Coordinates of all heavy atoms in Angstrom, one line a residue:
S193 N -22.9 10.1 96.4 CA -24.1 11.0 96.4 C -24.3 12.1 95.3 O -25.2 12.5 95.1 CB -24.1 11.6 97.7 OG -23.1 12.5 97.9
T194 N -23.1 12.3 94.5 CA -23.1 13.4 93.6 C -23.8 12.9 92.4 O -23.6 11.8 91.8 CB -21.8 13.8 93.2 OG1 -21.1 14.3 94.4 CG2 -21.8 15.0 92.1
P195 N -24.9 13.7 91.8 CA -25.6 13.1 90.6 C -24.6 13.3 89.4 O -23.9 14.1 89.2 CB -26.6 14.3 90.4 CG -26.9 14.9 91.6 CD -25.5 14.8 92.3
G196 N -24.8 12.1 88.6 CA -24.0 12.1 87.4 C -22.6 11.3 87.5 O -22.0 11.1 86.5
M197 N -22.3 11.0 88.7 CA -21.1 10.2 88.9 C -21.1 8.7 88.7 O -20.2 7.9 88.8 CB -20.4 10.4 90.3 CG -19.9 11.9 90.4 SD -18.7 12.5 89.3 CE -17.4 11.2 89.7
N198 N -22.4 8.3 88.4 CA -22.6 6.9 88.2 C -23.5 6.8 86.9 O -23.7 7.7 86.2 CB -23.3 6.2 89.4 CG -24.5 7.0 89.9 OD1 -25.3 7.7 89.0 ND2 -24.7 7.1 91.2
L199 N -24.2 5.7 86.7 CA -25.0 5.5 85.5 C -26.1 6.3 85.4 O -26.6 6.5 84.2 CB -25.4 4.0 85.5 CG -26.0 3.5 84.3 CD1 -25.2 3.5 83.1 CD2 -26.5 1.9 84.5
G200 N -26.5 6.9 86.5 CA -27.7 7.9 86.5 C -27.4 9.2 86.0 O -28.2 10.1 86.1
M201 N -26.2 9.5 85.6 CA -25.9 10.8 85.2 C -26.6 11.3 83.9 O -26.7 10.5 82.9 CB -24.3 10.9 84.7 CG -23.8 12.3 84.3 SD -22.1 12.2 83.5 CE -22.7 11.5 81.8
K202 N -27.2 12.5 84.0 CA -27.9 13.0 83.0 C -27.4 13.9 82.0 O -27.6 14.2 80.8 CB -29.3 13.5 83.5 CG -30.3 12.5 84.2 CD -31.5 13.1 84.6 CE -32.4 12.1 85.3 NZ -33.7 12.8 85.9
S203 N -26.4 14.8 82.5 CA -25.8 15.9 81.8 C -24.4 16.1 82.5 O -24.3 15.9 83.7 CB -26.6 17.0 81.6 OG -26.9 17.6 82.9
I204 N -23.6 16.7 81.7 CA -22.3 17.1 82.3 C -22.4 18.5 82.9 O -22.6 19.5 82.1 CB -21.1 17.1 81.2 CG1 -20.9 15.7 80.6 CG2 -19.8 17.6 81.7 CD1 -20.1 15.5 79.5
T205 N -22.3 18.8 84.1 CA -22.3 20.0 84.8 C -21.2 20.4 85.4 O -20.2 19.6 85.6 CB -23.6 20.0 85.9 OG1 -23.2 19.0 87.0 CG2 -24.9 19.5 85.3
L206 N -21.1 21.6 85.9 CA -19.8 22.1 86.5 C -19.6 21.4 87.8 O -18.4 21.0 88.1 CB -19.9 23.6 86.8 CG -18.7 24.3 87.5 CD1 -17.3 24.1 86.7 CD2 -18.9 25.8 87.7
D207 N -20.7 21.1 88.5 CA -20.4 20.3 89.9 C -19.9 18.8 89.5 O -19.0 18.3 90.2 CB -21.8 20.0 90.5 CG -22.2 21.5 91.1 OD1 -21.3 22.4 91.3 OD2 -23.5 21.7 91.4
F208 N -20.3 18.3 88.4 CA -20.0 17.0 88.0 C -18.4 16.9 87.8 O -17.7 16.2 88.1 CB -20.9 16.5 86.8 CG -20.2 15.1 86.2 CD1 -20.4 13.9 86.9 CD2 -19.4 15.3 85.1 CE1 -19.8 12.8 86.2 CE2 -18.9 14.1 84.7 CZ -19.1 12.8 85.2
V209 N -18.1 18.0 87.0 CA -16.7 18.0 86.5 C -15.7 18.3 87.7 O -14.6 17.7 87.9 CB -16.4 19.2 85.5 CG1 -15.0 19.5 85.2 CG2 -17.3 18.9 84.2
T210 N -16.2 19.1 88.7 CA -15.5 19.5 89.8 C -15.3 18.1 90.7 O -14.1 17.8 91.2 CB -16.1 20.5 90.8 OG1 -16.4 21.6 90.1 CG2 -15.3 20.8 92.0
A211 N -16.3 17.4 90.8 CA -16.2 16.1 91.6 C -15.3 15.2 90.9 O -14.6 14.4 91.5 CB -17.6 15.5 91.8
M212 N -15.5 15.1 89.4 CA -14.7 14.2 88.8 C -13.1 14.6 89.0 O -12.4 13.6 89.1 CB -15.0 14.3 87.2 CG -14.1 13.2 86.3 SD -14.8 13.4 84.7 CE -14.3 15.2 84.2
M213 N -12.8 15.8 88.9 CA -11.4 16.2 89.1 C -10.9 15.8 90.6 O -9.8 15.4 90.7 CB -11.3 17.8 89.0 CG -11.5 18.1 87.5 SD -11.6 20.1 87.4 CE -10.0 20.5 87.9
D214 N -11.7 16.0 91.5 CA -11.4 15.6 92.9 C -11.1 14.0 92.9 O -10.1 13.6 93.5 CB -12.6 15.9 93.9 CG -12.6 17.4 94.2 OD1 -11.6 18.1 93.8 OD2 -13.7 17.8 94.6
N215 N -11.9 13.3 92.3 CA -11.8 11.9 92.3 C -10.5 11.5 91.5 O -9.7 10.6 92.0 CB -13.0 11.1 91.5 CG -14.1 10.9 92.4 OD1 -14.3 9.9 93.1 ND2 -15.0 11.9 92.5
F216 N -10.2 12.1 90.4 CA -8.9 11.9 89.7 C -7.7 12.1 90.6 O -6.7 11.4 90.6 CB -8.8 12.7 88.4 CG -9.7 12.2 87.3 CD1 -10.2 13.1 86.3 CD2 -10.3 10.9 87.3 CE1 -11.0 12.6 85.4 CE2 -11.2 10.4 86.3 CZ -11.5 11.3 85.3
Q217 N -7.8 13.3 91.3 CA -6.7 13.6 92.2 C -6.5 12.6 93.3 O -5.3 12.5 93.8 CB -6.9 15.0 92.7 CG -7.0 16.1 91.8 CD -5.8 17.0 91.8 OE1 -4.9 17.1 92.9 NE2 -5.5 17.8 90.8
A218 N -7.5 12.0 93.7 CA -7.5 11.0 94.8 C -7.2 9.5 94.2 O -7.2 8.6 94.9 CB -8.8 10.9 95.5
G219 N -7.0 9.4 92.8 CA -6.8 8.1 92.2 C -8.0 7.2 91.9 O -7.9 6.1 91.8
I220 N -9.2 8.0 92.1 CA -10.5 7.2 91.8 C -10.8 7.5 90.4 O -11.2 8.6 89.9 CB -11.5 7.7 92.8 CG1 -11.0 7.4 94.2 CG2 -12.8 6.8 92.6 CD1 -12.0 8.0 95.3
L221 N -11.0 6.4 89.6 CA -11.5 6.4 88.2 C -13.0 6.4 88.1 O -13.7 5.8 88.8 CB -10.7 5.5 87.3 CG -9.2 5.4 87.3 CD1 -8.6 4.3 86.6 CD2 -8.7 6.8 87.0
L222 N -13.4 6.8 86.8 CA -14.8 6.8 86.4 C -15.2 5.4 86.1 O -14.3 4.6 85.6 CB -15.1 7.7 85.4 CG -15.0 9.3 85.6 CD1 -15.3 10.0 84.3 CD2 -16.0 9.7 86.7
D223 N -16.4 4.9 86.4 CA -16.8 3.7 86.0 C -17.1 3.7 84.4 O -17.4 4.7 83.8 CB -18.0 3.1 86.7 CG -19.1 4.1 86.7 OD1 -19.1 5.1 86.0 OD2 -20.1 3.9 87.3
A224 N -17.2 2.5 83.8 CA -17.3 2.5 82.3 C -18.6 3.2 81.9 O -18.6 3.8 80.8 CB -17.2 0.9 82.0
P225 N -19.9 2.9 82.4 CA -21.0 3.5 82.0 C -21.0 5.0 81.9 O -21.5 5.7 81.1 CB -22.1 3.0 82.9 CG -21.5 1.6 83.4 CD -20.1 1.9 83.6
T226 N -20.3 5.6 82.9 CA -20.1 7.1 83.0 C -19.3 7.6 81.8 O -19.6 8.8 81.3 CB -19.6 7.5 84.5 OG1 -20.4 7.0 85.5 CG2 -19.6 9.0 84.5
V227 N -18.1 6.8 81.6 CA -17.3 7.2 80.5 C -18.0 7.3 79.2 O -17.9 8.2 78.4 CB -16.0 6.3 80.5 CG1 -15.2 6.7 79.1 CG2 -15.1 6.5 81.7
V228 N -18.9 6.2 79.0 CA -19.6 6.0 77.7 C -20.6 7.3 77.7 O -20.7 7.9 76.5 CB -20.4 4.7 77.7 CG1 -21.3 4.7 76.6 CG2 -19.4 3.6 77.5
R229 N -21.3 7.6 78.7 CA -22.2 8.7 78.8 C -21.4 10.2 78.4 O -21.9 11.0 77.6 CB -22.8 8.9 80.1 CG -23.9 7.9 80.4 CD -25.1 8.2 79.5 NE -26.2 7.2 79.8 CZ -27.0 7.4 80.8 NH1 -27.1 8.5 81.5 NH2 -28.0 6.5 81.0
I230 N -20.3 10.3 78.9 CA -19.5 11.5 78.7 C -19.1 11.6 77.2 O -19.3 12.7 76.6 CB -18.2 11.6 79.6 CG1 -18.6 11.7 81.0 CG2 -17.4 12.7 79.1 CD1 -17.4 11.6 82.0
V231 N -18.6 10.5 76.6 CA -18.3 10.5 75.2 C -19.5 10.7 74.3 O -19.5 11.5 73.5 CB -17.6 9.2 74.9 CG1 -17.4 9.0 73.3 CG2 -16.3 8.9 75.7
A232 N -20.6 10.2 74.7 CA -21.9 10.3 73.8 C -22.3 11.8 74.0 O -22.6 12.4 73.0 CB -22.9 9.4 74.4
Q233 N -22.3 12.3 75.1 CA -22.8 13.7 75.3 C -21.8 14.7 74.5 O -22.3 15.7 74.0 CB -23.0 14.1 76.7 CG -24.1 13.5 77.3 CD -24.4 14.0 78.8 OE1 -24.1 15.1 79.2 NE2 -25.1 13.2 79.6
T234 N -20.6 14.4 74.7 CA -19.5 15.3 73.9 C -19.8 15.2 72.5 O -19.7 16.2 71.7 CB -18.1 14.7 74.3 OG1 -17.9 14.9 75.7 CG2 -17.0 15.7 73.7
R235 N -20.0 14.0 72.0 CA -20.2 13.9 70.5 C -21.5 14.7 70.2 O -21.5 15.3 69.1 CB -20.4 12.3 70.2 CG -20.7 12.1 68.7 CD -21.4 10.7 68.5 NE -22.7 10.8 69.3 CZ -23.2 9.6 69.5 NH1 -22.8 8.4 69.1 NH2 -24.5 9.6 70.1
D236 N -22.5 14.5 71.0 CA -23.8 15.3 70.6 C -23.5 16.8 70.6 O -24.0 17.6 69.7 CB -24.9 15.0 71.6 CG -25.3 13.6 71.6 OD1 -25.2 13.0 70.6 OD2 -25.9 13.2 72.6
M237 N -22.7 17.3 71.4 CA -22.3 18.8 71.6 C -21.5 19.2 70.3 O -21.7 20.2 69.6 CB -21.7 19.1 72.9 CG -22.5 19.1 73.9 SD -21.7 19.7 75.5 CE -20.5 18.6 75.8
L238 N -20.5 18.4 69.9 CA -19.6 18.6 68.9 C -20.4 18.6 67.5 O -19.9 19.4 66.7 CB -18.5 17.6 68.9 CG -17.4 17.8 69.9 CD1 -16.3 16.7 69.8 CD2 -16.9 19.1 70.1
E239 N -21.3 17.7 67.4 CA -22.1 17.7 66.1 C -22.8 18.9 65.8 O -23.2 19.1 64.6 CB -23.0 16.4 66.2 CG -22.3 15.1 66.1 CD -23.3 13.9 66.1 OE1 -24.4 14.2 66.5 OE2 -22.9 12.9 65.7
T240 N -23.1 19.7 66.9 CA -23.9 21.0 66.6 C -23.0 22.0 66.1 O -23.4 23.2 65.7 CB -24.7 21.4 67.8 OG1 -23.7 21.7 68.8 CG2 -25.5 20.3 68.2
L241 N -21.7 21.9 66.1 CA -20.8 23.1 65.8 C -20.8 23.2 64.3 O -21.0 22.2 63.7 CB -19.4 22.8 66.3 CG -19.2 22.6 67.7 CD1 -17.8 22.3 68.1 CD2 -19.8 24.0 68.6

Side-chain angles (χ1 to χ4, degrees):
S193 60
T194 300
M197 293 304 296
N198 50 34
L199 189 60
M201 182 194 75
K202 296 182 179 180
S203 62
I204 301 175
T205 63
L206 183 58
D207 291 339
F208 171 79
V209 173
T210 302
M212 181 177 63
M213 292 171 62
D214 289 339
N215 277 270
F216 287 162
Q217 297 250 343
I220 303 174
L221 302 179
L222 295 174
D223 54 6
T226 303
V227 173
V228 172
R229 285 289 184 89
I230 293 174
V231 173
Q233 290 191 23
T234 303
R235 181 199 60 195
D236 294 340
M237 288 188 292
L238 293 177
E239 286 180 344
T240 63
L241 298 179

